[in-house]
């Protein structure tokens, strides 16, 4: 049974930082592209960042480039999202997701989400 469990969300002032963590179990972690998504109230879910398996190429939404960094620790089956210079518009529920292989298409597994709230 695959599980993705996020942690690290919380309340932070604008300009501050948070690091989200996601622990994966039940899958061969190194064979999965890992992504972070977010969804704010009344808005569609958007992909924030992703790191492709094997190539380790990272992709970022334009809105977070230069502020957020995704990285993974294959020895711990964990993926992180370091978020710096946070803005109120970053407020959302953040989800970790996993997709088999390097291709495009829907993600196979999702975590339960962690709330990030950025106050102005």
């Amino acid at each position: 049974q695959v599980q993705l469990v996020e942690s690290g969300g919380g309340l932070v002032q604008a300009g501050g930082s948070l690091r989200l963590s996601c622990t994966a179990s039940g899958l061969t972690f190194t064979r999965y592209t890992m992504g972070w998504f977010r969804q704010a109230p009344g808005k569609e879910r958007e992909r924030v960042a992703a790191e492709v398996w094997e190539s380790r190429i990272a992709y970022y939404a334009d809105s977070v480039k230069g502020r957020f960094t995704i990285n993974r620790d294959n020895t711990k089956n964990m993926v992180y999202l370091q978020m710096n210079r946070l803005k109120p518009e970053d407020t959302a529920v953040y989800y970790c997701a996993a997709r088999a292989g390097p291709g495009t298409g829907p993600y196979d597994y999702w975590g339960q989400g962690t709330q990030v709230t950025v106050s102005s």
Side-chain angles (χ1 to χ4, degrees):
Q1 179 182 357
V2 176
Q3 281 193 315
L4 301 176
V5 180
E6 303 97 335
S7 61
L11 174 64
V12 64
Q13 287 189 329
S17 298
L18 281 175
R19 188 177 81 154
L20 305 183
S21 300
C22 172
T23 303
S25 60
L27 50 73
T28 305
F29 186 71
T30 53
R31 294 186 177 272
Y32 279 77
T33 291
M34 300 301 297
W36 286 97
F37 292 73
R38 69 185 180 187
Q39 188 165 22
K43 295 188 177 181
E44 293 189 354
R45 184 173 61 195
E46 66 167 334
R47 189 184 71 175
V48 174
E51 185 173 295
V52 181
W53 82 297
E54 196 169 59
S55 71
R56 306 295 293 268
I57 295 174
Y59 297 92
Y60 296 94
D62 288 342
S63 57
V64 307
K65 279 180 182 176
R67 300 189 298 121
F68 290 11
T69 304
I70 185 172
N71 57 67
R72 62 197 292 166
D73 185 340
N74 288 337
T75 66
K76 297 181 179 179
N77 281 14
M78 295 187 72
V79 60
Y80 306 95
L81 185 68
Q82 178 65 44
M83 306 186 294
N84 299 326
R85 304 198 307 276
L86 283 160
K87 304 176 181 180
E89 51 263 42
D90 294 318
T91 295
V93 178
Y94 284 71
Y95 299 90
C96 171
R99 184 183 67 222
T104 59
Y107 279 69
D108 302 297
Y109 304 104
W110 294 84
Q112 82 288 350
T114 186
Q115 176 71 47
V116 171
T117 303
V118 184
S119 63
S120 57

